Amino acid sequence: KINAYLKSVPADAFAENNGEWAIYRPDLERVIPIVTEKNDQYKVEIARRFASPAEEKLLKKAEAVYHAPEISSKELFRDWKYIAQDYIELPSGEPHWWNGFNDSNLGTDVVTTAAVLYYYNRSQAFRAANGKVSGNGFKFIRSNFKYDAAIEKKAKYERAGKTFSDVYVADLTLTWGQTCGGLCGSGFTRNKIVVISGAGEILGMFLDAEINNQFWVS
């Protein structure tokens, strides 16, 4: 299962691979919608903030940064016992941003374009199918998806003991919550920081926000 999944995401689809992170080229062409849909039980709020077309391009690049395939493959093989379960289906054809299923929905490891579009599309599917999108899965009576992305130029930026000068900092935060009953629900918030030079060079990806190690369940 793992080898089949890895083959579905060709290595040449990644650019600027430094062994720790890589840019997934197809994401540079994908469009994240800017929407606010809060009038029913499947709420969606997506905001992306930038000051110019040049900053928007840098933000899109930050959203396309994933763990390098070498790192992702090690993580997958480390979790082989979980993946071997019959009910686990690995998302084919997109990089490894997820961290497993929870009540038939994926969790998030790294905030990326694919992750944002997954929860946006999941929300639309809930709305269309009255909360039940899997034959053997739960019926979700509510969900809440929020994505907030912003990029800002900074003369100096310090993170994890590193100092950067004259850079752009992209701050990406994704929040997902799902409810299938009075005591049936879960959710999380995940954050990714990407530091980029004015020329578009990725200088660092940081997943060290405290919230990244937390989730809620009822």
Side-chain angles (χ1 to χ4, degrees), residues 164-208:
F164 304 91
S165 299
D166 194 25
V167 294
Y168 289 87
V169 178
D171 189 340
L172 317 177
T173 300
L174 184 157
T175 299
W176 172 258
Q178 57 193 37
T179 303
C180 45
L183 289 175
C184 176
S186 60
F188 56 83
T189 297
R190 295 291 178 262
N191 175 263
K192 179 177 79 174
I193 299 290
V194 180
V195 181
I196 317 175
S197 73
E201 179 186 3
I202 305 297
L203 302 176
M205 176 178 73
F206 299 93
L207 306 174
D208 54 359

Side-chain angles (χ1 to χ4, degrees), residues 59-96:
L59 179 59
K60 180 177 282 289
K61 194 169 188 178
E63 292 166 330
V65 178
Y66 294 71
H67 282 309
E70 299 86 346
I71 291 179
S72 292
S73 63
K74 290 179 182 179
E75 293 175 344
L76 289 167
F77 281 111
R78 186 182 63 229
D79 295 335
W80 70 269
K81 289 184 179 180
Y82 165 76
I83 292 172
Q85 302 300 313
D86 290 340
Y87 68 93
I88 299 300
E89 297 181 8
L90 302 184
S92 179
E94 63 182 37
H96 183 214

Side-chain angles (χ1 to χ4, degrees), residues 77-151:
F77 281 111
R78 186 182 63 229
D79 295 335
W80 70 269
K81 289 184 179 180
Y82 165 76
I83 292 172
Q85 302 300 313
D86 290 340
Y87 68 93
I88 299 300
E89 297 181 8
L90 302 184
S92 179
E94 63 182 37
H96 183 214
W97 55 267
W98 37 271
N99 62 11
F101 286 85
N102 188 354
D103 298 338
S104 76
N105 296 310
L106 290 171
T108 295
D109 183 30
V110 183
V111 181
T112 64
T113 302
V116 173
L117 293 177
Y118 173 84
Y119 294 107
Y120 172 71
N121 291 332
R122 207 66 170 171
S123 301
Q124 303 307 308
F126 284 172
R127 188 174 290 120
N130 196 27
K132 190 171 179 63
V133 295
S134 175
N136 296 323
F138 289 90
K139 178 178 180 178
F140 295 92
I141 59 175
R142 285 187 301 276
S143 67
N144 182 66
F145 171 50
K146 183 176 181 179
Y147 174 61
D148 184 73
I151 189 165

Side-chain angles (χ1 to χ4, degrees), residues 24-31 60 63-66 95 112-114:
Y24 187 55
R25 286 194 187 95
D27 276 2
L28 300 175
E29 305 300 326
R30 301 172 82 182
V31 176
K60 180 177 282 289
E63 292 166 330
V65 178
Y66 294 71
T112 64
T113 302

